[in-house]
Amino acid sequence: MEERGILIVVSGFSGAGKGTIMKRLLEKYGSDYALSISATTRDPRPGERNGREYFFRSVEEFEKMIAEEELIEYARYVENYYGTPRSYVEEKLAEGKDVILEIEIQGALKVKEKFPDTLLLFVTPPSTEELRNRLTGRGTETEEVIESRMRRASEEAKFMDRYDYLIINDVLENCVEEMHQIIRGEHRRSYRNTDFIEYMKKELKGE
Ligand code: 5GP
């Protein structure tokens, strides 16, 4: 049975380990998934490459993409635009890949509104203490930046219950496996298999 892919949104607190989980999921099960690359107006960080982490665009270029409806969703986050290009997502879903958008909450909720069968996953460390440890553990952030991220996390936590599943990032390998299994299970939801149900009904009636 040829199946269309599922659109999956992954959000989570800064420091929750989303990036690491995505990387491992793709290493293990890369042929099932396609990771969407967003467009952004923020500057590239050292080591980032245009077309790999993001499509880095000027504000003018980004606003042109908005006007021409080339983005599924976009949001402003910390003074910059971020958005999901439409064509790649549609192409990969049609090929049967599950397409993952790693985006923040405003964008996630917009995608869910537009495409209600999107699977929303929220990545969180097992405790606030662990979140703080991870933000400190990067070693690159000042106390002020850490506090501001903790405050943002507190704002973001208000929307956790809008997500379909929580992904608790405790032990990486378990967490990746659990995420993959949740997605496999999602493929078996009856409302995603109406053609198969119709086929079974017909066959059993002897038609
Ligand atoms: P960063 O600048 O650290 O790479 O990303 C900042 C935030 O923007 C992260 O929460 C990331 O998930 C989110 N983000 C990245 N791409 C998109 C996008 O296309 N749309 C939205 N709404 N958020 C995005």
Side-chain angles (χ1 to χ4, degrees), residues 25-124:
L25 184 76
L26 291 169
E27 274 168 12
K28 281 180 91 170
Y29 303 110
S31 60
D32 292 348
Y33 299 109
L35 186 63
S36 161
I37 301 171
S38 297
T40 183
T41 58
R42 85 151 160 75
D43 292 331
R45 296 187 186 125
E48 285 183 338
R49 242 190 6 225
N50 188 30
R52 190 176 65 189
E53 283 78 14
Y54 283 104
F55 297 108
F56 295 100
R57 296 288 181 258
S58 67
V59 172
E60 293 70 31
E61 286 167 335
F62 197 99
E63 287 175 347
K64 187 159 176 277
M65 292 174 90
I66 300 173
E68 295 184 353
E69 297 187 2
E70 287 175 24
L71 302 173
I72 288 181
E73 61 73 41
Y74 68 93
R76 285 193 80 99
Y77 183 86
V78 197
E79 311 288 295
N80 288 300
Y81 279 127
Y82 293 84
T84 307
R86 178 186 306 278
S87 55
Y88 177 84
V89 171
E90 287 183 348
E91 184 187 313
K92 294 294 162 185
L93 287 176
E95 281 174 19
K97 303 270 188 205
D98 293 336
V99 178
I100 304 181
L101 315 182
E102 197 210 305
I103 65 178
E104 51 65 64
I105 293 173
Q106 303 166 56
L109 298 180
K110 279 189 230 162
V111 172
K112 183 80 175 180
E113 212 172 282
K114 226 168 172 176
F115 307 103
D117 58 358
T118 303
L119 179 64
L120 295 188
L121 307 178
F122 193 94
V123 179
T124 173

Side-chain angles (χ1 to χ4, degrees), residues 8-19 21-22 35 73 75 77 84 100-112 118-125 156-157 159-169 175 179:
I8 303 164
V9 166
V10 177
S11 309
F13 302 124
S14 165
K18 278 172 302 191
I21 296 171
M22 290 301 99
L35 186 63
E73 61 73 41
Y77 183 86
T84 307
I100 304 181
L101 315 182
E102 197 210 305
I103 65 178
E104 51 65 64
I105 293 173
Q106 303 166 56
L109 298 180
K110 279 189 230 162
V111 172
K112 183 80 175 180
T118 303
L119 179 64
L120 295 188
L121 307 178
F122 193 94
V123 179
T124 173
E156 290 174 343
F159 297 95
M160 283 170 87
D161 60 5
R162 304 279 291 273
Y163 283 71
D164 296 305
Y165 291 90
L166 300 183
I167 306 291
I168 313 282
N169 186 10
C175 171
M179 185 183 277

